Amino acid sequence: MPRLDSKAILQGRRSRYSMTLVLGITVSVVCMAGMLVYLWLLAMAGGAAAGIDGALGFVVSLVAAVIPVGILVPLILMLDRIEPEPGWVLFFAFVWGAGVAVVASLLLNGWGLAHVTVPLFGQELGGFLGTSVVAPLVEESAKGVVLLILLWRRRHEIDTFTDGVIYAGMVATGFAFTENILYFLSAFFDGTLVATFAIRGIIAPFGHPVYTAMIGIGVAYAATRTGRLRLLAPVGGWALAVLLHGMWNASTRFGWYGLAVAYVVLFAVLMGVLALAARDRRGQIGAIDRYLPPYISTGLVTPADITMLSSMQGRRRAREWAGRNAGRRGRTAMKEYQLAATELALLHQRLDAGSARQDWKVRRDSFLALMHVARDTFLGRLPQPVTPGWAEKPTDSGFLRRADFAHVIAQARSQQEYVPRHGQQAPPGLG
């Protein structure tokens, strides 16, 4: 029988591969590459006009823009270590921000400045309105589109508000990366690179992620709730993102005092987002403690294992233990076991909330099958695997006992041929 597709199971799909994802990444990467070429040409033209090495300016600006990304991305991903999102979907969000969103914003902001704000209000006031009104509207819309795509195509991977914040943070960080190259390049030629980097790269690098996190929270509400309010939640999040973005851009008109006030507001919002992430983590641990005990009878999990799954330290120790038993494959299998168990608990949580898919039993059995296969892998071929460190006695952990789960594995594999969606029956010729 073919090996279970663990990534497809964890993503709740028939296959880990998605044409929407492939197409989205391709378009985004092309747009990002086009922007980098455009910025290179700007650097060479600016350098030739100023008698400065344009190539050096581009490289310095690129390196300076990479630094905040290297800081922000790990911090964003740390918010959701219990149930991390699929890597390729996160990459899609990042390159959408760095490519599609930037290209759309560049074109629309330029058009709005040239044809709307300046003709109507004059050069000075029109420029201010273009920066504080048009730019936030355009940029948050361009970034928010990818979150709507994820809500449409990957709704059931958004289990908490934190998931929405994660995706929003990635698209915003990608957007800020390309935008920063443009700002740093201009500052390089003006001789203000150090000051610009200090503001955009050190003092307030979290600006874009905080703005767009509001949209992510709205999208997460729509993904995890029922009722009419969920239809308005993404719009409300977008409006708040535009408001915060416009406040920051407008604050520059009032000097350092205006920037300080805007910074305090954004910092307070950031603290609120972190508090929300902490609450979500407690909710995930609570779901594990509440919904996994009924599965003790399967032999796949015991009270000691549930305790292990409820802390990051316990999970890390379990991966180390699995690595001693079966090497790198064992560590990977333990990670898949932990993710499957977490997804199983969150599936029941969504079921209680009334937002689970109608094929939730198929997903449940697939998670159980993956837990079983993963356990067989990380136990390795040792005659007597090392006793799990979180279990007082060998019999306290399900990882030292085998359960007859062949029927669940067979069912999960057969469902990979066709997984019904929204309770519909397979058309003739399928399944």
Side-chain angles (χ1 to χ4, degrees):
M1 299 178 73
R3 184 180 182 273
L4 283 175
D5 190 338
S6 59
K7 294 186 182 299
I9 290 174
L10 292 171
Q11 295 179 29
R13 303 174 64 85
R14 283 178 289 173
S15 170
R16 77 182 78 174
Y17 305 107
S18 165
M19 286 305 300
T20 302
L21 188 61
V22 172
L23 179 61
I25 289 176
T26 301
V27 172
S28 299
V29 169
V30 169
C31 289
M32 180 178 173
M35 275 302 304
L36 291 177
V37 171
Y38 170 73
L39 293 171
W40 169 266
L41 294 176
L42 282 182
M44 298 308 293
I52 303 176
D53 187 351
L56 176 62
F58 178 82
V59 172
V60 170
S61 301
L62 179 63
V63 172
V66 167
I67 293 174
V69 173
I71 297 173
L72 283 173
V73 169
L75 291 177
I76 291 170
L77 297 182
M78 282 181 63
L79 295 176
D80 198 25
R81 289 180 295 167
I82 288 183
E83 188 247 339
E85 304 307 303
W88 280 109
V89 185
L90 293 171
F91 178 72
F92 170 45
F94 181 89
V95 293
W96 176 281
V100 175
V102 171
V103 170
S105 297
L106 183 66
L107 296 175
L108 293 175
N109 283 341
W111 183 89
L113 193 65
H115 296 89
V116 179
T117 57
V118 171
L120 291 177
F121 302 101
Q123 189 66 41
E124 183 178 354
L125 180 58
F128 173 73
L129 291 175
T131 300
S132 58
V133 178
V134 175
L137 285 169
V138 168
E139 293 175 11
E140 295 310 318
S141 298
K143 290 182 286 183
V145 166
V146 73
L147 299 178
L148 295 179
I149 293 174
L150 294 178
L151 177 62
W152 171 43
R153 300 294 297 176
R154 298 268 177 166
R155 173 185 173 186
H156 289 276
E157 282 178 12
I158 304 176
D159 297 298
T160 62
F161 290 117
T162 302
D163 291 346
V165 171
I166 296 292
Y167 288 121
M170 292 301 291
V171 64
T173 301
F175 185 94
F177 164 69
T178 306
E179 186 184 54
N180 278 343
I181 298 176
L182 179 61
Y183 277 97
F184 294 158
L185 191 60
S186 176
F188 178 83
F189 292 124
D190 292 342
T192 59
L193 178 60
V194 174
T196 303
F197 176 78
I199 293 175
R200 298 187 64 87
I202 299 176
I203 297 176
F206 56 82
H208 276 289
V210 169
Y211 313 147
T212 315
M214 302 301 101
I215 307 177
I217 291 171
V219 166
Y221 186 95
T224 58
R225 299 294 192 276
T226 58
R228 294 181 179 179
L229 186 59
R230 67 187 178 91
L231 300 177
L232 299 177
V235 178
W238 170 82
L240 189 53
V242 171
L243 181 64
L244 291 174
H245 195 161
M247 177 202 65
W248 176 260
N249 286 3
S251 68
T252 58
R253 190 177 179 88
F254 305 98
W256 288 107
Y257 177 78
L259 281 173
V261 172
Y263 188 88
V264 170
V265 173
L266 289 182
F267 188 77
V269 175
L270 175 62
M271 293 298 101
V273 171
L274 295 179
L276 186 62
R279 194 202 72 168
D280 282 345
R281 177 171 293 188
R282 290 194 297 270
Q284 290 174 323
I285 293 174
I288 290 171
D289 291 338
R290 178 179 180 182
Y291 295 110
L292 289 189
Y295 290 95
I296 290 176
S297 61
T298 67
L300 292 173
V301 65
T302 67
D305 300 329
I306 293 173
T307 300
M308 175 273 292
L309 289 166
S310 299
S311 73
M312 295 308 303
Q313 181 181 6
R315 287 172 176 242
R316 183 174 61 254
R317 290 173 59 194
R319 290 193 293 270
E320 293 171 353
W321 170 84
R324 291 195 296 271
N325 278 338
R328 181 180 298 178
R329 291 181 67 247
R331 288 182 64 92
T332 300
M334 175 58 78
K335 184 177 180 180
E336 290 179 349
Y337 174 93
Q338 292 170 344
L339 285 174
T342 305
E343 291 287 0
L344 178 63
L346 295 178
L347 174 65
H348 281 283
Q349 187 178 59
R350 295 189 70 143
L351 185 64
D352 279 357
S355 60
R357 295 188 338 195
Q358 293 187 17
D359 62 344
W360 70 271
K361 290 184 179 180
V362 172
R363 297 196 68 201
R364 176 200 61 190
D365 289 350
S366 296
F367 291 143
L368 291 170
L370 179 55
M371 291 168 66
H372 175 77
V373 171
R375 188 186 65 171
D376 281 350
T377 301
F378 60 64
L379 283 174
R381 298 184 177 181
L382 298 177
Q384 181 62 42
V386 179
T387 301
W390 58 91
E392 294 183 5
K393 298 180 296 183
T395 54
D396 286 345
S397 173
F399 298 163
L400 296 182
R401 294 191 295 135
R402 307 297 176 111
D404 182 12
F405 231 70
H407 66 290
V408 177
I409 296 174
Q411 183 179 14
R413 283 170 172 157
S414 66
Q415 290 296 341
Q416 288 184 20
E417 297 297 324
Y418 177 73
V419 178
R421 294 180 180 273
H422 309 297
Q424 297 176 352
Q425 297 297 319
L430 292 180

